């Protein structure tokens, strides 16, 4: 009788080892399924109009790209278009914009080559003459077949991208006069 | 009364001792093999999904950056599964009547999310944070493998604790420059033993092996 009980020990151990209670705990985490709600998501969306403390978007320049009724021609207060800011904009641009707009902004990205409607080049007069706030607005609200990127690109990054688009526009329309004395000397040296 | 055991039983008794030991060892080996096999770990087992999404096509074919869809990977613990809107930023225009993408369009119309099968499923008693790994020079492919060569998503590594610890004990073997983290076919430009040691120092990477680092 005692021997038979001993045999049970490994059997019980083997069975309990397969329990996954702590692996899959009876709680809901983000993106899990719940049958309780009609859209099947365990996580509830925020009530419309919810604003986190200290996150009220009061500044129309920063959050809508507008000063008064027109698009802002400058970066909002607190942003400085220095090299680090532009490089950050370049990295973000290369992630989110190049699939359609292409590396240099001619609207010749990979997705366009697969049949997506080609966006206009940044280097046409209409877009070169737009204030920087316009590009922020297009990223935020979308334009034509371009959807809003507001949920994917945070406000700070959108301004960095807008600044980088400006830099791209300058790069494709630069003259020798835009190049600094030192760099001009380097270019002349490079020719020899 | 006749003897119950004949002299030949001695051999049986002796061999059963050895045989028993071999049996236990074989059983242990067998269970361990089973535990490490794809049957348990799902390594290299492509999972069924509502839409046969190909990372190979989107990453290698079109050149889309990981972060175009996995937007929170640099900022949060969770890398982020894109909402249907992300799919539709292209597929409202291209392949917009492909039958294969009908579940995507249905999800967009109804607002009911697609239910993907989770491929990398850590036990819930493990804390893992993507952002700290990618901002300290751990490439996506170090853990996820060559995602750009996976027509259907599968798990490249076991996600066993020993596998986590292998890197936590010697991060210099796997670390790469920060600007190469999202590169798929990355090859170190110099000897990894030199580069790794330097990057570990430069990025101030610590060898976190306390239990409470992950089991918090």
């Amino acid at each position: 009788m005692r021997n038979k009980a001993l045999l049970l020990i490994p059997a019980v151990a083997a069975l309990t080892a397969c329990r996954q209670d702590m692996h899959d705990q009876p709680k809901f985490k983000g993106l899990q399924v719940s049958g309780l709600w009609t859209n099947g998501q365990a996580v509830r969306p925020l009530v419309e109009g919810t604003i986190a403390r200290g996150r009220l978007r009061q500044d129309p320049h920063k959050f809508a790209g507008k000063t008064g009724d027109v698009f802002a021609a400058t970066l909002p207060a607190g942003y400085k278009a220095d090299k680090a800011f532009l490089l950050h904009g370049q990295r973000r641009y290369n992630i989110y914009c190049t699939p359609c707009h292409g590396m240099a902004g001619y609207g010749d990205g990979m997705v366009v080559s697969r049949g997506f409607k080609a966006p206009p080049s940044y280097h046409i007069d209409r877009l070169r003459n737009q204030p920087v706030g316009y590009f922020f607005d297009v990223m935020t609200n979308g334009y034509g077949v371009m959807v809003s990127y507001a949920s994917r690109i945070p406000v700070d990054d959108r301004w960095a991208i807008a600044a980088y688009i400006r830099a791209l526009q300058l790069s494709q329309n630069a003259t020798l006069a835009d190049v600094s004395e030192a760099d001009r000397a380097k270019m002349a040296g490079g020719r020899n | 009364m006749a003897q119950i055991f004949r002299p030949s039983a001695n051999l049986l008794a002796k061999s059963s001792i050895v045989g028993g030991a071999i049996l236990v060892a074989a059983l242990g080996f067998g269970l361990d093999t089973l535990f490490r096999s794809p049957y348990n770990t799902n390594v290299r087992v492509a999972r069924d999904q509502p839409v046969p999404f190909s990372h190979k096509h989107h990453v290698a074919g079109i050149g889309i950056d990981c972060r175009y869809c996995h937007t929170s990977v640099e900022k949060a613990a969770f890398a982020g599964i894109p909402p249907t809107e992300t799919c539709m930023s292209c597929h409202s225009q291209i392949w917009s009547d492909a039958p294969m993408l009908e579940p995507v369009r249905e999800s967009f119309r109804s607002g009911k999310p697609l239910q993907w099968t989770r491929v990398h499923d850590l036990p819930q008693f493990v804390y893992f944070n993507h952002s700290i790994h990618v901002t300290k020079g751990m490439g996506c492919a170090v853990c996820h493998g060559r995602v750009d060569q996976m027509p259907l998503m599968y798990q490249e590594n076991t996600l066993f604790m020993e596998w986590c610890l292998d890197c936590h004990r010697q991060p210099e073997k796997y670390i790469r420059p920060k600007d190469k983290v999202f590169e798929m076919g990355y090859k170190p430009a110099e000897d990894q033993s030199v580069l790794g040691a330097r990057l570990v120092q430069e990025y101030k990477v610590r060898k976190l092996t306390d239990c409470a680092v992950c089991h918090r």
Side-chain angles (χ1 to χ4, degrees):
Chain A
M1 201 51 219
R2 193 167 161 270
N3 284 345
K4 273 184 189 164
L6 277 175
L7 274 177
L8 272 176
I9 293 173
V12 168
L15 280 175
T16 49
C18 292
R19 290 184 60 186
Q20 296 283 310
D21 288 6
M22 294 302 282
H23 289 69
D24 302 307
Q25 295 163 14
K27 66 183 179 188
F28 288 120
K29 297 185 86 176
L31 301 190
Q32 279 188 346
V33 174
S34 161
L36 196 56
W37 314 98
T38 49
N39 75 350
Q41 272 182 304
V43 172
R44 297 288 77 213
L46 294 176
V47 175
E48 211 175 316
T50 306
I51 296 164
R53 193 178 174 87
R55 296 282 178 87
L56 182 58
R57 302 192 154 191
Q58 275 176 313
D59 182 1
H61 188 169
K62 182 172 175 179
F63 296 107
K66 286 183 176 175
T67 45
D69 284 341
V70 294
F71 290 119
T74 57
L75 293 175
Y79 296 107
K80 193 161 161 279
D82 54 14
K83 190 172 178 184
F85 190 65
L86 289 175
L87 284 175
H88 180 62
Q90 181 185 40
R91 287 191 291 268
R92 297 291 119 177
Y93 176 91
N94 288 348
I95 298 168
Y96 296 106
C97 314
T98 47
C100 290
H101 289 280
M103 296 295 276
Y106 283 99
D108 56 353
M110 197 64 178
V111 175
V112 173
S113 72
R114 301 294 172 99
F116 200 90
K117 187 172 178 276
S121 162
Y122 292 137
H123 312 301
I124 59 173
D125 285 344
R126 178 174 74 81
L127 291 180
R128 288 185 58 213
N129 294 326
Q130 290 287 1
V132 69
Y134 171 80
F135 298 99
F136 181 86
D137 175 73
V138 171
M139 281 180 258
T140 308
N141 299 313
Y143 185 93
V145 295
M146 174 177 159
V147 297
S148 161
Y149 277 72
S151 64
R152 267 175 272 180
I153 314 177
V155 170
D156 290 350
D157 290 357
R158 267 177 266 159
W159 280 112
I161 292 172
Y164 179 66
I165 291 173
R166 268 283 114 94
L168 275 181
Q169 289 175 328
L170 184 65
S171 76
Q172 301 302 304
N173 290 279
T175 62
L176 200 57
D178 296 321
V179 184
S180 73
E181 285 283 347
D183 285 341
R184 242 181 284 173
K186 255 190 244 165
M187 287 165 81
R191 240 181 254 140
N192 296 329
Chain B
M1 201 175 93
Q3 295 284 337
I4 298 173
F5 297 110
R6 287 192 288 174
S8 65
N10 287 343
L11 181 67
L12 198 66
K14 281 175 192 160
S15 61
S16 71
I17 293 171
V18 180
I22 291 173
L23 192 72
V24 168
L27 193 68
F29 180 77
L31 282 175
D32 186 65
T33 309
L34 188 70
F35 184 67
R36 290 169 187 281
S37 73
Y39 175 76
N40 180 42
T41 61
N42 279 324
V43 165
R44 296 193 157 257
V45 178
R47 314 294 288 276
D48 279 337
Q49 302 287 0
V51 179
F53 178 85
S54 167
H55 277 87
K56 184 180 175 183
H57 167 69
H58 289 86
V59 179
I62 301 179
I64 294 175
D65 192 284
C66 310
R67 293 163 286 182
Y68 186 88
C69 303
H70 304 291
T71 52
S72 56
V73 72
E74 291 173 297
K75 287 162 292 203
F78 185 48
I81 291 289
T84 306
E85 285 74 13
T86 299
C87 311
M88 292 301 276
S89 36
C90 291
H91 290 297
S92 59
Q93 302 293 318
I94 47 179
W95 296 97
S96 54
D97 42 14
M100 198 198 278
L101 296 179
E102 179 51 28
V104 179
R105 294 190 293 272
E106 172 57 28
S107 158
F108 190 68
R109 281 193 297 269
S110 67
K112 201 170 171 182
L114 286 162
Q115 282 187 28
W116 301 99
T117 302
R118 185 156 200 177
V119 176
H120 294 84
D121 195 7
L122 274 180
Q124 288 190 357
F125 47 77
V126 181
Y127 173 82
F128 177 79
N129 190 316
H130 273 95
S131 69
I132 189 64
H133 288 86
V134 298
T135 52
K136 288 268 188 179
M138 270 311 140
C140 307
V142 174
C143 302
H144 293 291
R146 290 296 297 274
V147 174
D148 63 326
Q149 294 174 356
M150 299 179 186
L152 290 173
M153 193 63 196
Y154 58 78
Q155 194 180 314
E156 175 76 17
N157 288 297
T158 59
L159 308 189
F160 284 160
M161 187 171 116
E162 63 174 22
W163 172 78
C164 300
L165 278 173
D166 176 43
C167 189
H168 273 238
R169 285 184 179 131
Q170 38 193 359
E172 65 277 2
K173 269 172 68 181
Y174 304 95
I175 198 167
R176 46 170 94 176
K178 284 180 184 180
D179 59 343
K180 304 278 191 246
V181 164
F182 295 92
E183 201 174 294
M184 272 296 139
Y186 168 77
K187 294 259 185 312
E190 55 186 302
D191 191 6
Q192 180 67 27
S193 60
V194 182
L195 176 73
R198 192 176 73 235
L199 290 177
V200 161
Q201 207 160 40
E202 190 182 324
Y203 298 162
K204 300 187 173 62
V205 173
R206 287 181 296 152
K207 296 181 180 179
L208 297 174
T209 50
D210 285 346
C211 307
V213 170
C214 309
H215 303 292
R216 42 174 78 181

PDB file of all heavy atoms in Angstrom, chain A residues 83-98:
ATOM      1  N   LYS A  83      21.819  71.424 -35.325  1.00  0.00           N
ATOM      2  CA  LYS A  83      22.197  70.212 -36.049  1.00  0.00           C
ATOM      3  C   LYS A  83      21.562  68.959 -35.433  1.00  0.00           C
ATOM      4  O   LYS A  83      21.056  68.086 -36.139  1.00  0.00           O
ATOM      5  CB  LYS A  83      23.723  70.081 -36.060  1.00  0.00           C
ATOM      6  CG  LYS A  83      24.192  68.994 -37.002  1.00  0.00           C
ATOM      7  CD  LYS A  83      25.696  68.994 -37.162  1.00  0.00           C
ATOM      8  CE  LYS A  83      26.127  67.856 -38.081  1.00  0.00           C
ATOM      9  NZ  LYS A  83      27.582  67.756 -38.185  1.00  0.00           N
ATOM     10  N   ALA A  84      21.566  68.895 -34.082  1.00  0.00           N
ATOM     11  CA  ALA A  84      21.009  67.714 -33.411  1.00  0.00           C
ATOM     12  C   ALA A  84      19.521  67.557 -33.738  1.00  0.00           C
ATOM     13  O   ALA A  84      19.034  66.447 -33.989  1.00  0.00           O
ATOM     14  CB  ALA A  84      21.220  67.829 -31.905  1.00  0.00           C
ATOM     15  N   PHE A  85      18.815  68.687 -33.753  1.00  0.00           N
ATOM     16  CA  PHE A  85      17.378  68.670 -34.030  1.00  0.00           C
ATOM     17  C   PHE A  85      17.120  68.184 -35.462  1.00  0.00           C
ATOM     18  O   PHE A  85      16.244  67.352 -35.702  1.00  0.00           O
ATOM     19  CB  PHE A  85      16.818  70.080 -33.823  1.00  0.00           C
ATOM     20  CG  PHE A  85      15.317  70.165 -33.831  1.00  0.00           C
ATOM     21  CD1 PHE A  85      14.563  69.545 -32.844  1.00  0.00           C
ATOM     22  CD2 PHE A  85      14.656  70.888 -34.815  1.00  0.00           C
ATOM     23  CE1 PHE A  85      13.180  69.643 -32.845  1.00  0.00           C
ATOM     24  CE2 PHE A  85      13.274  70.992 -34.814  1.00  0.00           C
ATOM     25  CZ  PHE A  85      12.537  70.365 -33.832  1.00  0.00           C
ATOM     26  N   LEU A  86      17.916  68.690 -36.400  1.00  0.00           N
ATOM     27  CA  LEU A  86      17.744  68.293 -37.804  1.00  0.00           C
ATOM     28  C   LEU A  86      18.111  66.822 -38.012  1.00  0.00           C
ATOM     29  O   LEU A  86      17.433  66.110 -38.754  1.00  0.00           O
ATOM     30  CB  LEU A  86      18.590  69.185 -38.711  1.00  0.00           C
ATOM     31  CG  LEU A  86      18.092  70.629 -38.841  1.00  0.00           C
ATOM     32  CD1 LEU A  86      19.069  71.455 -39.658  1.00  0.00           C
ATOM     33  CD2 LEU A  86      16.709  70.684 -39.471  1.00  0.00           C
ATOM     34  N   LEU A  87      19.159  66.371 -37.328  1.00  0.00           N
ATOM     35  CA  LEU A  87      19.538  64.961 -37.467  1.00  0.00           C
ATOM     36  C   LEU A  87      18.458  64.054 -36.892  1.00  0.00           C
ATOM     37  O   LEU A  87      18.164  62.988 -37.437  1.00  0.00           O
ATOM     38  CB  LEU A  87      20.876  64.697 -36.774  1.00  0.00           C
ATOM     39  CG  LEU A  87      22.119  65.187 -37.534  1.00  0.00           C
ATOM     40  CD1 LEU A  87      23.367  64.975 -36.697  1.00  0.00           C
ATOM     41  CD2 LEU A  87      22.251  64.476 -38.882  1.00  0.00           C
ATOM     42  N   HIS A  88      17.859  64.505 -35.786  1.00  0.00           N
ATOM     43  CA  HIS A  88      16.746  63.743 -35.219  1.00  0.00           C
ATOM     44  C   HIS A  88      15.586  63.705 -36.218  1.00  0.00           C
ATOM     45  O   HIS A  88      14.991  62.647 -36.456  1.00  0.00           O
ATOM     46  CB  HIS A  88      16.295  64.370 -33.898  1.00  0.00           C
ATOM     47  CG  HIS A  88      15.169  63.645 -33.253  1.00  0.00           C
ATOM     48  ND1 HIS A  88      15.269  62.340 -32.829  1.00  0.00           N
ATOM     49  CD2 HIS A  88      13.889  64.030 -32.991  1.00  0.00           C
ATOM     50  CE1 HIS A  88      14.114  61.957 -32.316  1.00  0.00           C
ATOM     51  NE2 HIS A  88      13.266  62.956 -32.411  1.00  0.00           N
ATOM     52  N   GLY A  89      15.312  64.858 -36.817  1.00  0.00           N
ATOM     53  CA  GLY A  89      14.265  64.925 -37.837  1.00  0.00           C
ATOM     54  C   GLY A  89      14.557  64.008 -39.005  1.00  0.00           C
ATOM     55  O   GLY A  89      13.663  63.341 -39.527  1.00  0.00           O
ATOM     56  N   GLN A  90      15.830  63.950 -39.382  1.00  0.00           N
ATOM     57  CA  GLN A  90      16.207  63.076 -40.496  1.00  0.00           C
ATOM     58  C   GLN A  90      15.937  61.605 -40.176  1.00  0.00           C
ATOM     59  O   GLN A  90      15.371  60.870 -40.974  1.00  0.00           O
ATOM     60  CB  GLN A  90      17.696  63.262 -40.814  1.00  0.00           C
ATOM     61  CG  GLN A  90      18.157  62.399 -41.976  1.00  0.00           C
ATOM     62  CD  GLN A  90      19.660  62.495 -42.196  1.00  0.00           C
ATOM     63  OE1 GLN A  90      20.432  62.537 -41.244  1.00  0.00           O
ATOM     64  NE2 GLN A  90      20.059  62.556 -43.444  1.00  0.00           N
ATOM     65  N   ARG A  91      16.311  61.203 -38.958  1.00  0.00           N
ATOM     66  CA  ARG A  91      16.083  59.800 -38.584  1.00  0.00           C
ATOM     67  C   ARG A  91      14.596  59.467 -38.580  1.00  0.00           C
ATOM     68  O   ARG A  91      14.175  58.414 -39.051  1.00  0.00           O
ATOM     69  CB  ARG A  91      16.693  59.524 -37.201  1.00  0.00           C
ATOM     70  CG  ARG A  91      18.221  59.451 -37.210  1.00  0.00           C
ATOM     71  CD  ARG A  91      18.761  58.921 -35.905  1.00  0.00           C
ATOM     72  NE  ARG A  91      18.577  59.852 -34.807  1.00  0.00           N
ATOM     73  CZ  ARG A  91      19.484  60.771 -34.432  1.00  0.00           C
ATOM     74  NH1 ARG A  91      20.627  60.849 -35.073  1.00  0.00           N
ATOM     75  NH2 ARG A  91      19.238  61.584 -33.433  1.00  0.00           N
ATOM     76  N   ARG A  92      13.788  60.385 -38.031  1.00  0.00           N
ATOM     77  CA  ARG A  92      12.336  60.139 -37.993  1.00  0.00           C
ATOM     78  C   ARG A  92      11.750  60.164 -39.401  1.00  0.00           C
ATOM     79  O   ARG A  92      10.867  59.386 -39.734  1.00  0.00           O
ATOM     80  CB  ARG A  92      11.640  61.195 -37.117  1.00  0.00           C
ATOM     81  CG  ARG A  92      12.061  61.167 -35.670  1.00  0.00           C
ATOM     82  CD  ARG A  92      11.561  59.914 -34.991  1.00  0.00           C
ATOM     83  NE  ARG A  92      12.689  59.147 -34.504  1.00  0.00           N
ATOM     84  CZ  ARG A  92      12.582  58.022 -33.815  1.00  0.00           C
ATOM     85  NH1 ARG A  92      11.403  57.527 -33.517  1.00  0.00           N
ATOM     86  NH2 ARG A  92      13.648  57.377 -33.431  1.00  0.00           N
ATOM     87  N   TYR A  93      12.220  61.115 -40.211  1.00  0.00           N
ATOM     88  CA  TYR A  93      11.754  61.213 -41.601  1.00  0.00           C
ATOM     89  C   TYR A  93      12.031  59.911 -42.337  1.00  0.00           C
ATOM     90  O   TYR A  93      11.177  59.380 -43.045  1.00  0.00           O
ATOM     91  CB  TYR A  93      12.465  62.385 -42.293  1.00  0.00           C
ATOM     92  CG  TYR A  93      12.128  62.514 -43.767  1.00  0.00           C
ATOM     93  CD1 TYR A  93      11.059  63.301 -44.183  1.00  0.00           C
ATOM     94  CD2 TYR A  93      12.869  61.840 -44.744  1.00  0.00           C
ATOM     95  CE1 TYR A  93      10.739  63.420 -45.535  1.00  0.00           C
ATOM     96  CE2 TYR A  93      12.550  61.942 -46.087  1.00  0.00           C
ATOM     97  CZ  TYR A  93      11.489  62.736 -46.479  1.00  0.00           C
ATOM     98  OH  TYR A  93      11.166  62.823 -47.814  1.00  0.00           O
ATOM     99  N   ASN A  94      13.243  59.378 -42.135  1.00  0.00           N
ATOM    100  CA  ASN A  94      13.615  58.161 -42.847  1.00  0.00           C
ATOM    101  C   ASN A  94      12.757  56.968 -42.443  1.00  0.00           C
ATOM    102  O   ASN A  94      12.581  56.030 -43.214  1.00  0.00           O
ATOM    103  CB  ASN A  94      15.098  57.845 -42.621  1.00  0.00           C
ATOM    104  CG  ASN A  94      15.990  58.823 -43.366  1.00  0.00           C
ATOM    105  OD1 ASN A  94      15.524  59.573 -44.209  1.00  0.00           O
ATOM    106  ND2 ASN A  94      17.268  58.829 -43.036  1.00  0.00           N
ATOM    107  N   ILE A  95      12.208  56.992 -41.228  1.00  0.00           N
ATOM    108  CA  ILE A  95      11.333  55.895 -40.805  1.00  0.00           C
ATOM    109  C   ILE A  95       9.941  56.053 -41.400  1.00  0.00           C
ATOM    110  O   ILE A  95       9.406  55.142 -42.020  1.00  0.00           O
ATOM    111  CB  ILE A  95      11.205  55.854 -39.262  1.00  0.00           C
ATOM    112  CG1 ILE A  95      12.559  55.606 -38.610  1.00  0.00           C
ATOM    113  CG2 ILE A  95      10.197  54.787 -38.837  1.00  0.00           C
ATOM    114  CD1 ILE A  95      12.550  55.834 -37.110  1.00  0.00           C
ATOM    115  N   TYR A  96       9.343  57.221 -41.177  1.00  0.00           N
ATOM    116  CA  TYR A  96       7.905  57.362 -41.426  1.00  0.00           C
ATOM    117  C   TYR A  96       7.552  57.956 -42.787  1.00  0.00           C
ATOM    118  O   TYR A  96       6.445  57.764 -43.265  1.00  0.00           O
ATOM    119  CB  TYR A  96       7.278  58.232 -40.328  1.00  0.00           C
ATOM    120  CG  TYR A  96       7.382  57.593 -38.971  1.00  0.00           C
ATOM    121  CD1 TYR A  96       8.287  58.060 -38.022  1.00  0.00           C
ATOM    122  CD2 TYR A  96       6.595  56.488 -38.645  1.00  0.00           C
ATOM    123  CE1 TYR A  96       8.402  57.453 -36.786  1.00  0.00           C
ATOM    124  CE2 TYR A  96       6.707  55.875 -37.417  1.00  0.00           C
ATOM    125  CZ  TYR A  96       7.610  56.361 -36.486  1.00  0.00           C
ATOM    126  OH  TYR A  96       7.729  55.753 -35.269  1.00  0.00           O
ATOM    127  N   CYS A  97       8.461  58.697 -43.409  1.00  0.00           N
ATOM    128  CA  CYS A  97       8.093  59.442 -44.612  1.00  0.00           C
ATOM    129  C   CYS A  97       8.660  58.840 -45.891  1.00  0.00           C
ATOM    130  O   CYS A  97       8.018  58.891 -46.939  1.00  0.00           O
ATOM    131  CB  CYS A  97       8.550  60.896 -44.484  1.00  0.00           C
ATOM    132  SG  CYS A  97       8.135  61.613 -42.878  1.00  0.00           S
ATOM    133  N   THR A  98       9.886  58.255 -45.786  1.00  0.00           N
ATOM    134  CA  THR A  98      10.541  57.776 -47.009  1.00  0.00           C
ATOM    135  C   THR A  98       9.756  56.714 -47.784  1.00  0.00           C
ATOM    136  O   THR A  98       9.897  56.674 -48.999  1.00  0.00           O
ATOM    137  CB  THR A  98      11.942  57.208 -46.714  1.00  0.00           C
ATOM    138  OG1 THR A  98      11.845  56.341 -45.586  1.00  0.00           O
ATOM    139  CG2 THR A  98      12.917  58.319 -46.418  1.00  0.00           C
TER     140      THR A  98
END
